[in-house]
C-alpha cells in the first residue's frame, strides 16, 4: 500500500518485486557458498542489518528510486539469510545428534516469525493512524535490529562441527578464504547436478517457494474488492495466521505420504482460486486456509531436502533451490505486470493457481522420503533442546 499510495501503478510495483528477486537471484548461490565457509551466525546478523537499511531507504526517499534502492538492499538481505538459516539450524542439530527434530523445530521457528509478522500486521493500522508511514517504517527498522540481536545470541557449535569442511571436499583448499569458497561452491553445485534425489527435491522446493509470491498481491487484492485501508491489514492477518498454523503442524506432518501432501497442494490451489474470484472480503477465508496448507507442504519439502543432502556444502545446495525459487518468483511478477494490462487482479491470482495444481501432480515423485528416525531420539532431543533453545 505504501507504493500505491505514492502513485505507483500495479505494473511499477511488479517491477519493484522483479528488482528484489533479481538481486536475490544474482547473490543467492554465492552467498550460500559463503555460508559454507564463514560463520553462518554472523551472516544472519549482517543480513538483518542490511534489511533494516532497506526500510530506511523507503522512508527517507518515498519514490520509485527510493523503493527500488530499498528492494536492492532487501535482495542482499534475503540472499544472505536464505540457505544460511536452514543450514545453520540443521547442522547445529546434527552436531547435537538431533537432526530428526529439524522439521518440527524449523516449522515452529517459521511459525513464530509469522506470528510476529501477524502482530506487525495488526499494529499496521494503529501505527498508520498515529504517525503514518514514517512511524511504521521506524518500527520496522527496530524489528530488524531486534532480529540481528536474536541471531547474535544463537548458539554456534565449535569449528569442527560447523560448516567449514573444505578439507573434506578438496584437500588443501582450506589454505585461504578464496580457495575454501571455490571448493564449497563446486561441492554444492556438484551434488545438485549428480544426485537425482537432491536435484528433484531442489526443483520441488524451488517451485513451492516461488508460489509464496502470492502474498505480495494479497493487499492489492483486498483493495480490489473494496476493502478500506484499515480493513486490509485484518484480512492479511488471517492469511498470516493460517501460515503460522500450517508451519506449526509441519513437524507432525513430516512423515505423511507424498500423495497426501500432493492432495493438500491441490486443495490449496482450489481454495486460493475460489477466494480470489469471490469478489468479497469473505473470500479471504478460503485464501487463508489454502495458504496455510501450502505453508505446511513447503516446510515438509524443505525438511526432506535437508535430509537428502549428504555433502558438506549444505548452505550452497539450499541456496540453489532458493535461486530457482527467485527465478520462478520473477516469472510470477513479470506475469502479473504484463497480465495487468488485460486482466483484473483477481483473475491473475486465480490464474497462478494453475501451475500450483500442476506442481501438486509431480509432488509424489519429486518429494524425497522422510529420513529414518535416529536412535536414542529422546536423549538427542533433550540435548538438542538445551542447545537450540539456550
Amino acid at each position: 500500500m505504501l507504493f500505491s499510495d505514492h502513485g505507483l501503478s500495479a505494473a511499477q510495483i511488479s517491477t519493484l518485486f522483479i528488482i528484489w528477486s533479481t538481486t536475490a537471484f544474482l547473490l543467492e548461490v554465492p552467498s550460500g557458498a559463503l555460508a559454507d565457509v564463514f560463520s553462518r551466525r554472523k551472516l544472519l546478523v549482517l543480513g538483518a542489518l542490511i534489511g533494516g537499511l532497506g526500510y530506511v531507504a523507503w522512508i527517507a526517499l518515498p519514490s520509485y528510486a527510493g523503493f527500488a534502492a530499498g528492494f536492492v538492499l532487501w535482495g542482499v538481505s534475503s540472499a544472505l539469510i536464505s540457505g544460511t538459516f536452514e543450514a545453520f539450524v540443521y547442522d547445529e542439530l546434527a552436531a547435537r545428534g538431533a537432526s530428526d527434530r529439524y522439521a518440527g523445530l524449523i516449522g515452529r521457528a517459521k511459525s513464530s516469525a509469522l506470528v510476529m509478522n501477524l502482530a506487525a500486521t495488526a499494529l499496521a493500522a494503529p501505527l498508520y493512524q498515529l504517525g503514518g508511514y514514517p512511524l511504521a517504517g521506524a518500527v520496522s527498522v527496530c524489528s530488524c535490529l531486534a532480529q540481528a540481536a536474536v541471531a547474535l545470541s544463537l548458539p554456534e557449535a565449535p569449528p569442527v562441527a560447523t560448516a567449514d569442511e573444505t578439507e573434506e571436499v578438496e584437500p588443501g583448499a582450506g589454505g585461504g578464504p578464496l580457495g575454501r569458497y571455490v571448493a564449497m561452491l563446486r561441492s554444492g553445485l556438484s551434488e545438485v547436478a549428480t544426485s537425482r534425489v537432491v536435484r528433484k527435491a531442489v526443483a520441488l522446493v524451488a517451485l513451492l517457494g516461488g508460489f509464496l509470491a502470492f502474498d505480495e498481491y494479497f493487499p492489492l487484492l483486498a483493495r480490489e474488492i473494496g476493502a478500506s485501508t484499515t480493513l486490509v491489514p485484518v484480512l492479511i492477518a488471517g492469511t498470516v495466521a493460517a501460515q503460522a498454523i500450517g508451519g506449526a503442524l509441519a513437524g507432525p506432518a513430516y512423515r505423511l505420504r507424498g500423495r497426501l501432501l500432493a492432495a493438500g497442494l491441490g486443495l490449496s490451489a482450489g481454495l486460493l482460486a475460489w477466494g480470489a474470484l469471490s469478489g468479497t472480503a469473505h473470500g479471504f477465508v478460503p485464501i487463508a486456509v489454502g495458504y496455510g496448507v501450502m505453508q505446511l507442504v513447503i516446510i515438509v519439502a524443505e525438511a526432506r531436502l535437508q535430509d537428502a543432502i549428504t555433502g558438506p556444502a549444505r548452505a550452497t545446495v539450499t541456496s540453489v533451490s532458493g535461486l530457482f525459487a527467485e527465478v520462478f518468483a520473477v516469472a510470477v511478477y513479470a506475469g502479473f505486470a504484463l497480465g495487468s494490462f488485460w486482466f483484473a487482479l483477481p483473475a491473475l491470482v486465480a490464474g497462478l493457481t494453475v501451475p500450483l495444481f500442476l506442481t501438486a501432480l509431480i509432488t509424489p515423485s519429486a518429494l524425497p522420503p522422510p529420513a529414518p528416525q535416529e536412535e536414542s531420539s529422546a536423549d538427542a532431543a533433550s540435548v538438542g533442546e538445551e542447545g537450540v533453545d539456550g
Side-chain angles (χ1 to χ4, degrees):
M1 292 190 299
L2 170 66
F3 312 133
S4 61
D5 285 348
H6 281 85
L8 272 64
S9 65
Q12 287 177 310
I13 294 172
S14 290
T15 62
L16 290 177
F17 295 152
I18 292 174
I19 290 172
W20 178 17
S21 289
T22 301
T23 303
F25 165 82
L26 293 174
L27 298 176
E28 183 73 38
V29 174
S31 65
L34 193 67
D36 281 323
V37 176
F38 299 106
S39 169
R40 292 171 180 166
R41 181 174 62 182
K42 292 178 181 178
L43 290 178
L44 292 175
V45 172
L46 180 61
L49 296 176
I50 293 176
L53 290 178
Y55 285 116
V56 172
W58 287 359
I59 301 305
L61 188 60
S63 63
Y64 183 86
F67 297 147
F71 271 117
V72 169
L73 292 168
W74 262 33
V76 175
S77 174
S78 297
L80 287 173
I81 295 173
S82 174
T84 303
F85 176 65
E86 292 82 0
F88 177 84
V89 173
Y90 193 93
D91 278 354
E92 295 304 315
L93 284 174
R96 294 161 173 80
S99 59
D100 58 339
R101 297 179 61 241
Y102 175 80
L105 181 59
I106 204 71
R108 293 193 300 273
K110 292 192 175 184
S111 292
S112 298
L114 288 166
V115 169
M116 296 300 292
N117 193 358
L118 179 60
T121 302
L123 288 172
L127 285 175
Y128 178 80
Q129 292 175 343
L130 286 174
Y133 289 121
L135 178 59
V139 173
S140 298
V141 172
C142 291
S143 71
C144 291
L145 295 176
Q147 177 185 343
V150 171
L152 191 61
S153 70
L154 292 174
E156 194 165 24
V160 294
T162 55
D164 193 4
E165 298 171 277
T166 45
E167 290 295 333
E168 176 186 337
V169 179
E170 186 175 319
L178 181 60
R180 296 197 302 271
Y181 174 83
V182 172
M184 277 297 175
L185 183 61
R186 288 176 177 172
S187 176
L189 295 177
S190 175
E191 182 166 7
V192 174
T194 59
S195 171
R196 185 181 180 186
V197 173
V198 172
R199 185 167 61 249
K200 292 197 302 183
V202 163
L204 178 61
V205 170
L207 281 172
L208 294 175
F211 286 119
L212 291 176
F214 267 117
D215 59 20
E216 302 295 346
Y217 293 93
F218 285 163
L220 298 176
L221 179 63
R223 277 283 183 86
E224 186 82 9
I225 64 174
S228 65
T229 301
T230 54
L231 178 59
V232 170
V234 177
L235 297 178
I236 303 306
T239 65
V240 177
Q243 276 188 280
I245 294 172
L249 295 175
Y254 170 73
R255 297 191 177 277
L256 289 179
R257 298 181 64 178
R259 290 182 179 178
L260 287 176
L261 295 169
L265 275 183
L267 176 63
S268 295
L271 289 171
L272 287 165
W274 173 26
L277 296 174
S278 68
T280 68
H282 294 95
F284 271 81
V285 174
I287 286 175
V289 175
Y291 218 54
V293 174
M294 188 172 73
Q295 177 75 1
L296 182 150
V297 177
I298 288 174
I299 292 180
V300 170
E302 290 176 346
R304 294 197 186 181
L305 169 61
Q306 294 298 324
D307 286 329
I309 298 171
T310 58
R314 181 173 302 280
T316 304
V317 174
T318 306
S319 290
V320 171
S321 69
L323 181 147
F324 285 107
E326 294 295 341
V327 171
F328 182 50
V330 168
V332 170
Y333 298 145
F336 269 90
L338 293 175
S340 64
F341 291 106
W342 298 284
F343 301 101
L345 187 61
L348 292 173
V349 173
L352 185 55
T353 65
V354 174
L356 176 59
F357 181 79
L358 295 177
T359 301
L361 298 180
I362 67 171
T363 295
S365 61
L367 188 68
Q373 290 182 318
E374 296 184 5
E375 296 181 5
S376 65
S377 58
D379 293 339
S382 175
V383 175
E385 189 72 35
E386 179 183 350
V388 175
D389 296 333

